[in-house]
Amino acid sequence: MARTADDLPLRVAQGMLWASVGILVYIRTISGVSRDAAPLASLLTMASYPPLIALLARHRRPAGRYGLLAAVVLLYLLPFLVIGSAWDWMPWTVAAAVLCVLPPRPAWPLFALVLAATGTTAALLGYGVYDSIWFVIVTADDALIVFSLAALVGTARRLHDTQGELARPALVRERLRLDGELRNVLGGKLRAIAFRMRKAAAFPMGEAAAFRVGNAAGEEPVEARQDIREGMELARRDIREGVALARRTLAEVRATAGAYRAEPIAEPAARIESPRLARFVLLAVLLLQCVLVLINLYYWEHAAPPTVAWALLGLIGIVVLQVLPQTRVTFVVQGLLFLLPLAVIPGSWDRVLSFFTGKVLLTVRPPRSWAIAGAVLAGHLAWLLYDSITAGTGILNALANFGGHVMLAWLAYSLGRLTGLITVLDRARHELAEAAVRRERTRVARDLHDVLGFSLSAVALKGELAERLLDTDPGRARTELASLVSLVEQALVELGSIAGDRVELRLAAELDAAREVLTAAGIEATARVTTGPLPAEVDTAVATALRETVTNVLRHSRARTCELTISGADGLVRLRVVNDGARPVARTEPSTSPEPEPEPGRHGSGLGSLAQRTGGRLTAVRLPGGRFEVVAEFGSDAAGLGSGPAGLSSDPAGLGGDPDGVHPVASTQLGDG
């Protein structure tokens, strides 16, 4: 699998773990060479390393993990049967494997049992108190180092592998919230519109038609004429109220869509802070090194009680500052406590100097941090070599000790850096969830604009037409009202589908609806379709583009004619809409060019966003004679969607309207014929 930039935090974390394991192997190898161990003995002492490395290399099933733990234990015991106790037998691999494999509740007691067995074994083998304690502390140090880094790498791996999991429930919650909100805000208004139109349609239009004839002949009784006239007025009032409510709802759709785009994303309830495990392990290792400093002062250097007391106070200060929030002041004060005692007790105090080196790498910006750390390590190595030569302990022993100090410095740096990486990965998960919520709100806002905007525009236009037809053609008025009820009911269905991302328009139905609403607006509409059946995805894309185009013609032009053409050629489906009555674009100087003028690109929630979402290509061009042409092209199969460049205008009528909102539609303009 190809590596990507998103894998970088995980690769850095894994690199830190393997660097730590490599340093530990180096220390044990140098220690074995310093003992003049035979090659076979050296290999046997490292027999438990491969299963431990296999355990750390990848996440395995429980059976595999327990099998590797058993292999670590058995291979650790193997050298005792061959070469006895003449090797660095600290069971740090066993302790580390126990912590890495077992659940916390049994792991920590078993870890303590391993440490107790280490001290007891050292005492039984004739080692003194200091050496026995040293065996226990080194075993605990090495095991905690491996375990903590492995645990943090595991956390980083889980966060990396589940980046999208937080987004899914967040998306579901947001959809449920938006669905309930839309139903409460808009659903009730749509039902009220449907109620008004049903009530108006229930008026007996046949009697109204007979009333017109009878009234002209003077044959209807006065009471009947009065009842019919009152009924017509009630129907007219219901239509007007329904149309007015449709216009208000249209404006509310625009406001709701804008609010969804601008509404801030709620902050997650909880984030992962710096892992407590990293802080705990670092503090535990620091305390163990402090114990070694005091033991070394007392047993080996035989320091005076005041020196030991001052050393104890300095170590307490270092530990307290480690617990406090890390600031520049705490770093400086702790640094002084790390460095100043070296002038008095360098042989013992260098155990804690390694933590200062790691903190420099974490706190100071590179390359200055690496220069300071390099100088400290170089001075430390020089001191260890000098001390080994004067004491006669050998250079290999100094190199092994130096490896231990490098390990502690690397631990301090790695734990701090891994903590930051885990925080970054967790933040990325929350940002992905926020992005998913933001995309969902944008999609809902666009669907409100694209889908409900057209339906409500059609309700307003056809309602006004029905009102005018009450006086001239009651039968046709009833037909228009019946279609209005169906239109509002369809809008209710579409409203319920918006939050669930299930809006699927069909081209045939949209083409019929476009002709009806254009005719209702007094626009002569002609439609020509030369394509056969289209794949569902392409059909929906073209239908949605058609709906949005017609909506823009209605709200941005004074069109009297509109041509709708859908054709297919060269693997493309082409929607072409040409209307007259396009308002001129305001200019500082009149243009004398006779050529068609492209409309400036505008990126709103209209056709431009539709082209982007469906992978289509859209062009909008002003033609001579006040005409305007919009052409949207889509791949003729589902695979073709997304292959073309997105078009870039959402104001196809060229009237400078707000493409992001849904303006109220102009009143119906009825022709004379």
Side-chain angles (χ1 to χ4, degrees), residues 412-428:
Y413 171 70
S414 298
L415 289 181
R417 183 74 188 279
L418 281 174
T419 297
L421 289 176
I422 288 173
T423 303
V424 167
L425 286 170
D426 181 63
R427 186 183 301 118

Side-chain angles (χ1 to χ4, degrees), residues 183-469:
R183 290 178 186 275
N184 292 334
V185 173
L186 301 177
K189 292 181 173 59
L190 289 175
R191 285 189 289 271
I193 295 171
F195 171 76
R196 294 292 182 188
M197 297 307 174
R198 285 196 196 96
K199 187 177 176 185
F203 176 72
M205 300 296 177
E207 294 181 11
F211 164 74
R212 289 181 62 240
V213 176
N215 188 48
E219 299 174 356
E220 288 291 331
V222 175
E223 295 81 1
R225 291 200 299 269
Q226 181 67 25
D227 290 342
I228 293 174
R229 185 180 295 109
E230 290 178 357
M232 289 181 65
E233 288 302 318
L234 290 175
R236 192 186 313 277
R237 187 181 67 183
D238 287 330
I239 294 173
R240 287 177 177 173
E241 290 179 355
V243 169
L245 185 55
R247 294 188 181 281
R248 291 196 301 271
T249 306
L250 197 59
E252 195 159 352
V253 163
R254 179 188 180 192
T256 302
Y260 283 162
R261 296 188 195 97
E263 186 177 351
I265 304 296
E267 195 71 16
R271 290 181 183 269
I272 294 180
E273 298 178 356
S274 300
R276 288 183 297 176
L277 174 64
R279 296 195 296 268
F280 163 75
V281 169
L282 192 59
L283 183 61
V285 174
L286 178 59
L287 286 171
L288 291 174
Q289 298 308 309
C290 291
V291 172
L292 281 180
V293 169
L294 294 175
I295 292 176
N296 203 49
L297 281 173
Y298 184 78
Y299 278 99
W300 287 95
E301 296 190 12
H302 304 292
T307 302
V308 176
W310 280 110
L312 177 60
L313 290 176
L315 294 172
I316 291 174
I318 289 173
V319 172
V320 170
L321 290 171
Q322 183 66 32
V323 175
L324 295 176
Q326 299 301 295
T327 64
R328 184 173 298 180
V329 174
T330 58
F331 171 70
V332 171
V333 175
Q334 195 177 39
L336 292 175
L337 290 177
F338 279 131
L339 295 173
L340 292 178
L342 288 172
V344 182
I345 47 175
S348 298
W349 202 260
D350 69 337
R351 303 294 310 181
V352 294
L353 180 61
S354 307
F355 286 88
F356 172 73
T357 308
K359 297 203 72 165
V360 166
L361 292 174
L362 278 176
T363 308
V364 182
R365 291 183 179 179
R368 189 179 304 170
S369 61
W370 293 103
I372 296 174
V376 172
L377 288 174
H380 201 169
L381 177 59
W383 160 255
L384 290 173
L385 291 173
Y386 169 77
D387 186 62
S388 65
I389 292 173
T390 56
T393 55
I395 294 178
L396 289 177
N397 186 63
L399 292 176
N401 287 335
F402 180 70
H405 292 297
V406 171
M407 180 71 255
L408 294 175
W410 182 252
L411 172 70
Y413 171 70
S414 298
L415 289 181
R417 183 74 188 279
L418 281 174
T419 297
L421 289 176
I422 288 173
T423 303
V424 167
L425 286 170
D426 181 63
R427 186 183 301 118
R429 294 172 77 234
H430 286 85
E431 288 174 353
L432 285 173
E434 292 172 6
V437 171
R438 199 177 304 279
R439 284 195 303 271
E440 180 66 8
R441 290 182 183 177
T442 302
R443 183 194 64 78
V444 169
R446 289 192 293 217
D447 283 351
L448 280 174
H449 168 273
D450 299 340
V451 178
L452 283 187
F454 176 84
S455 298
L456 291 170
S457 299
V459 168
L461 290 169
K462 293 171 74 68
E464 290 179 347
L465 176 62
E467 180 187 353
R468 301 217 178 178
L469 290 172

